[in-house]
Amino acid sequence: MGGTESVVEVALGKLDLDAKARLLAGQDTWSLPALPEIGLRSLVMSDGPIGVRGVRWSADDPSVALPSPTALAATWDPELARRAGTLLAQEARRKGVHVLLAPTVNLHRSPLGGRHFEAYSEDPYLTGRIGAQYVEGVQAGGVGTTVKHFVANDAETDRFTVDNLVSPRALRELYLAPFEHIVENAHPWGIMTAYNTVNGTTMTEHRYLVNEVLRGEWGFDGYNVSDWSAARDTVAAVEGGLDVAMPGPRTVYGEALAKAVRDGEVEEATVDEAVRRVLRLAARVGILEGAEPAVTELPDPVDGEELAREIARRSFVLVRNEQGALPLRANRTVALIGAAARDARVLGGGSATVFPSHIVSPLDGLTAALPDGTLTYAVGADPATELAVADKGFELTTICRDAAGEVIGTRSVPNGHIQWMGSDLPVGVTHENLHTVELTGTFTPRDSGPHTFGIKGMGPFTLTVAGTTYYEDVQRPADDSDPFEAIFGAPVPRAQAELVAGEPVEVSLTHVFSLPEGVPFKVVAFALAHQEPQRDEDELIAEAVESARAADTAVVVVATTERVESEGFDRKDLQLPGRQDDLVRAVAAVNPNTVVVVNSGSPVELPWRDDVSAVLLSWFPGQEGGAALADVLTGTHEPGGRLPTTWGALADAPVTQVTPVDGELPYTEGVFIGYRAWEKEGRAPSYPFGHGLGYTDWTYESVDVDGTTATIRVRNSGTRPGREVVQLYLAPAEPSADRPGRWLAGFASVGAGPGETTEAVIELPRRTFEIWDETANGWSFVKGSYEIQVGRSITDRRITATINV
């Protein structure tokens, strides 16, 4: 490191105060300014939990879309997370991106959290292990990570202002734990501080948690970037350890920071510390002249499609499989049912969005995998009960004009959603010369009947379909207070047109652009929305029932929508939208071999789960989801996933409070979230933490403990090769009210052929025996007797041993 640090010091010494202050502020939405005087190129960041979008909201440069973070955690395989990181680094380099704004290691505190799909688990240890390997994989490819959102950003309601009141013990044992594990084991180059406040101090100014805990106690040496528009106060932010305020060009740093130093409010040495950290990051990613990058030998290239497919099938959790319903028997007929089988939901809404070059739907995947003539398809019930962004059947482009009506730029668009942030504008277009944006092209309907079109966004719009102008007016926001309303708000229906299946019509949506006053960053955001003719729901279900009645097996795909699970808002309930529950019940009533595939990023209620023969959770499975689904249903591969989060009914869920009262959200449950809380309350969930079935059977033969190393022998007692996730839970022999009854202390994934025996070796970390002592303000090792419980889930315990520490 010596070499790098001296290059950083020399570069720092050449900068004047204004250049330093400028470097700490975004120059636009995704990058920091270049400083040619010290040989520093512009540092580029990009959203990236499941894929690297890059700096443009465009499908011209597609991104590989991996399964969602909940799915990655469901593999319980840190090595697979590392390989995901390797691929994402490769994608980042291809797109000229130096730092990924990922991983998200907030916890599933409540099942209502709207961004649940983008975080790994309810358990801090599982989250830390998966997150650390993700970070290792990305950074071994020479690309930085920013572990986010530091800290306690576990829900979306009032996320800019909420004050989360968390006890020091719960903070340490739960919410800080994954960050600490990752800093210690993977040495991330960045961290992102959250929008929310913790115990009275907003996170972008949280000197204690950032400077004393993260940097002091844990030795974090990377840079700290704000969540987008989270920084509010120049002096408090820099004193609180915030290095970079994003996005630009208007931030609390830059000129304001230089002025604060000149006015004597901030020491220049404090600014120097922040600049040092940014220059160190620039050196690591190879954009500071004279500094050796952290990685000089890049890993071998990864095939993104193959990896996406492998992670998906390894993440699918088979939670029920009666009478060997799965895998499907060869050459039997299959009725595939559900709108989500045709229009797959492969990723969650919000900043995690990417545009893959193609998406394999369940219908595509099964059509390719099953013999001709054995598969039928029926819609059954549509989860989308309202308009969605115009997508299937639309061929769209954008035309930008100035005030005189002259065309100044054009761009192809991925779908009907335009979201150009900062300098992400078509060539030739500036915010100053842009007057109108016209989203225009053709729409070829799949069905005849009345099609509904609508608009998402704020301001003046003109909507024309097949030569008729249906709307020419100003659309006002439903909620003036939320700066993201235009991006996350609901579309408003504005037109209905009778169209004929297969006959293309022209459509256009023109928006008169003006920058609203006081917005923190410049964004052109609106969408053309659409809904197919709404057929009678009972008729659709009846058609699906007939198709199911005639088939050997019915496979029903149910799903959530982006109006249910997305960044920007929390969930109101855990129900599947539309008439999907009715559909499953109706199909199960006529076909005893009904398999339900649940396409959601986080838990939903499955009231019919005991009436169907199999339930497979597919999460948001990424671009190859349908191919992976066919692999698993046909039995070419077994479903490899185990639940990273407890699934149960909302009425039974122990922690559900996500709405602040008077601006405050007290975490009154303390250290009891997830399975810890379900167990404390004595409630039985639908499916417990760690649960998941494969296509073979396992016998747990023995556990030997030597010091803090446990060796577990398991035998594949089934008829086909398989993998088992061996889970080790620690339970204190003397239960106490303030400690969970048991907790995850270690896990390992092993494979074996039929009849073979294999060993899982699990190291028990010291931390698993410790609690945070609030009086002593430190970790305290709790001596005594513990039972080591080894098994297939937190409730399916197969073998135990006692350990005294």
Side-chain angles (χ1 to χ4, degrees):
M1 272 306 282
T4 302
E5 290 301 311
S6 56
V7 174
V8 164
E9 285 310 310
V10 169
L12 177 66
K14 290 181 181 166
L15 294 176
D16 63 20
L17 174 61
D18 294 308
K20 291 179 204 173
R22 205 165 70 245
L23 179 60
L24 303 181
Q27 65 176 350
D28 56 22
T29 312
W30 305 113
S31 68
L32 298 183
L35 297 176
E37 64 267 36
I38 54 166
L40 174 69
R41 303 209 304 278
S42 172
L43 180 94
V44 178
M45 301 168 241
S46 165
D47 285 319
I50 63 145
V52 184
R53 191 171 59 245
V55 299
R56 294 170 61 199
W57 191 271
S58 156
D60 291 348
D61 178 15
S63 312
V64 174
L66 297 177
S68 64
T70 2
L72 188 59
T75 69
W76 287 61
D77 189 340
E79 178 50 34
L80 204 49
R82 186 189 169 91
R83 287 168 56 206
T86 306
L87 170 78
L88 293 172
Q90 173 181 307
E91 286 276 282
R93 292 193 308 270
R94 182 173 69 76
K95 286 177 176 260
V97 167
H98 306 116
V99 175
L100 274 192
L101 304 172
T104 301
V105 299
N106 301 111
L107 298 184
H108 295 167
R109 173 180 167 266
S110 153
L112 293 174
R115 214 169 169 181
H116 212 298
F117 62 87
E118 206 185 303
Y120 296 125
S121 165
E122 67 191 19
D123 182 77
Y125 179 70
L126 177 59
T127 297
R129 287 274 307 271
I130 298 288
Q133 287 301 303
Y134 176 102
V135 166
E136 289 256 353
V138 173
Q139 293 186 169
V143 173
T145 55
T146 50
V147 189
K148 68 186 191 181
H149 307 88
F150 191 72
V151 63
N153 183 183
D154 309 299
E156 294 293 281
T157 306
D158 299 343
R159 61 180 175 160
F160 301 102
T161 54
V162 61
D163 184 4
N164 294 321
L165 308 180
V166 194
S167 72
R169 183 169 167 202
L171 255 181
R172 294 283 187 160
E173 292 184 24
L174 296 178
Y175 304 102
L176 288 170
F179 290 95
E180 181 182 16
H181 181 95
I182 292 168
V183 166
E184 201 164 291
N185 294 284
H187 309 292
W189 301 345
I191 206 120
M192 183 193 292
T193 36
Y195 289 122
N196 53 280
T197 291
V198 171
N199 299 333
T201 306
T202 190
M203 279 311 306
T204 43
E205 301 168 11
H206 217 302
R207 190 190 180 115
Y208 168 67
L209 288 177
V210 172
N211 284 346
E212 294 180 37
V213 176
L214 173 69
R215 290 189 171 128
E217 289 178 35
W218 305 346
F220 171 69
D221 72 350
Y223 91 131
N224 167 13
V225 60
S226 72
D227 201 342
W228 267 225
S229 303
R232 299 163 173 86
D233 179 284
T234 305
V235 175
V238 76
E239 296 287 352
L242 181 72
D243 299 326
V244 171
M246 291 296 290
R250 268 171 52 196
T251 79
V252 298
Y253 284 175
E255 287 172 18
L257 182 57
K259 182 178 187 303
V261 173
R262 291 192 176 106
D263 292 350
E265 292 172 347
V266 173
E267 296 285 328
E268 188 160 359
T270 308
V271 174
D272 287 351
E273 273 302 311
V275 171
R276 235 177 231 115
R277 289 189 281 260
V278 174
L279 293 175
R280 185 182 296 143
L281 173 68
R284 284 171 168 164
V285 300
I287 59 169
L288 179 62
E289 219 169 85
E292 172 96 342
V295 176
T296 48
E297 276 187 52
L298 292 173
D300 294 337
V302 177
D303 181 320
E305 278 178 32
E306 263 179 43
L307 184 61
R309 186 167 177 168
E310 182 185 350
I311 293 173
R313 59 184 182 235
R314 291 282 308 282
S315 76
F316 292 168
V317 183
L318 184 60
V319 291
R320 178 179 173 86
N321 194 20
E322 298 298 304
Q323 282 86 48
L326 289 178
L328 301 170
R329 290 174 188 80
N331 297 319
R332 300 288 180 88
T333 54
V334 174
L336 181 62
I337 294 165
R342 180 181 62 181
D343 302 331
R345 178 123 196 257
V346 300
L347 44 85
S351 60
T353 303
V354 293
F355 305 106
S357 60
H358 65 266
I359 286 173
V360 183
S361 69
L363 179 56
D364 300 331
L366 283 170
T367 301
L370 297 177
D372 283 354
T374 57
L375 182 72
T376 58
Y377 171 70
V379 173
D382 195 335
T385 53
E386 51 189 326
L387 285 83
V389 169
D391 198 1
K392 295 275 184 321
F394 286 85
E395 293 282 323
L396 299 169
T397 184
T398 47
I399 300 171
C400 299
R401 300 176 192 271
D402 62 17
E406 295 293 320
V407 175
I408 48 175
T410 60
R411 181 185 283 183
S412 65
V413 285
N415 53 29
H417 187 179
I418 287 181
Q419 187 169 301
W420 301 334
M421 297 172 80
S423 53
D424 171 21
L425 289 169
V427 177
V429 178
T430 64
H431 291 104
E432 290 66 41
N433 68 8
L434 179 61
H435 179 61
T436 61
V437 183
E438 184 185 5
L439 185 58
T440 180
T442 59
F443 169 57
T444 309
R446 292 194 283 216
D447 297 312
S448 299
H451 286 253
T452 309
F453 296 83
I455 304 167
K456 175 168 153 171
M458 304 187 263
F461 290 97
T462 305
L463 173 62
T464 303
V465 180
T468 303
T469 297
Y470 287 89
Y471 182 82
E472 194 163 5
D473 203 350
V474 175
Q475 186 160 292
R476 312 236 172 248
D479 176 5
D480 277 329
S481 65
D482 186 346
F484 289 100
E485 173 74 21
I487 297 170
F488 298 124
V492 186
R494 296 293 184 191
Q496 198 172 62
E498 279 289 337
L499 305 178
V500 180
E503 292 192 5
V505 291
E506 293 196 357
V507 291
S508 81
L509 177 63
T510 304
H511 173 51
V512 180
F513 172 74
S514 64
L515 268 182
E517 273 310 299
V519 288
F521 51 92
K522 296 176 176 174
V523 60
V524 182
F526 66 93
L528 171 65
H530 167 255
Q531 189 177 35
E532 300 200 317
Q534 294 302 287
R535 286 190 46 207
D536 181 79
E537 290 177 333
D538 293 325
E539 258 178 53
L540 287 173
I541 291 175
E543 276 174 24
V545 164
E546 285 321 301
S547 126
R549 199 193 302 272
D552 296 319
T553 304
V555 175
V556 186
V557 182
V558 296
T560 57
T561 69
E562 60 185 20
R563 298 296 308 141
V564 175
E565 282 187 272
S566 171
E567 179 180 344
F569 49 86
D570 288 315
R571 295 160 77 192
K572 293 175 179 58
D573 57 51
L574 301 184
Q575 287 161 13
L576 286 167
R579 296 275 303 277
Q580 297 183 98
D581 287 334
D582 295 344
L583 171 69
V584 174
R585 287 195 184 99
V587 168
V590 300
N591 192 322
N593 290 325
T594 295
V595 174
V596 183
V597 178
V598 184
N599 177 196
S600 74
S602 21
V604 286
E605 290 177 11
L606 313 172
W608 32 258
R609 66 183 187 280
D610 296 333
D611 309 330
V612 299
S613 53
V615 179
L616 181 72
L617 312 181
S618 69
W619 313 107
F620 294 147
Q623 67 178 52
E624 305 299 321
L629 182 64
D631 289 341
V632 164
L633 293 181
T634 59
T636 319
H637 292 269
E638 68 170 355
R642 304 293 184 265
L643 283 181
T645 282
T646 308
W647 276 50
L650 184 60
D652 298 330
V655 182
T656 55
Q657 189 57 37
V658 291
T659 306
V661 176
D662 298 331
E664 293 182 344
L665 183 64
Y667 284 25
T668 49
E669 70 283 348
V671 295
F672 294 93
I673 66 167
Y675 63 79
R676 295 163 165 83
W678 282 90
E679 199 156 69
K680 182 182 186 220
E681 302 291 332
R683 299 180 193 174
S686 310
Y687 301 111
F689 178 82
H691 173 62
L693 309 168
Y695 289 156
T696 187
D697 296 311
W698 294 89
T699 303
Y700 281 63
E701 295 188 334
S702 64
V703 53
D704 292 309
V705 184
D706 178 13
T708 54
T709 306
T711 304
I712 298 108
R713 285 177 68 82
V714 291
R715 181 166 48 86
N716 180 344
S717 45
T719 55
R720 56 172 284 163
R723 286 179 80 94
E724 176 70 331
V725 176
V726 177
Q727 303 167 34
L728 191 156
Y729 296 89
L730 199 64
E734 297 291 314
S736 67
D738 66 339
R739 258 181 128 187
R742 73 201 84 242
W743 54 88
L744 180 69
F747 59 91
S749 170
V750 293
E756 288 177 9
T757 297
T758 183
E759 286 188 345
V761 179
I762 297 174
E763 244 339 291
L764 294 178
R766 179 182 168 85
R767 178 58 52 80
T768 203
F769 300 99
E770 295 179 328
I771 62 171
W772 183 260
D773 182 334
E774 295 189 350
T775 352
N777 202 27
W779 289 103
S780 161
F781 190 88
V782 184
K783 296 190 176 79
S785 177
Y786 292 86
E787 190 170 63
I788 285 177
Q789 303 173 339
V790 184
R792 311 204 63 215
S793 77
I794 191 155
T795 55
D796 185 353
R797 306 192 278 270
R798 297 294 174 95
I799 196 166
T800 60
T802 302
I803 179 174
N804 292 296
V805 293

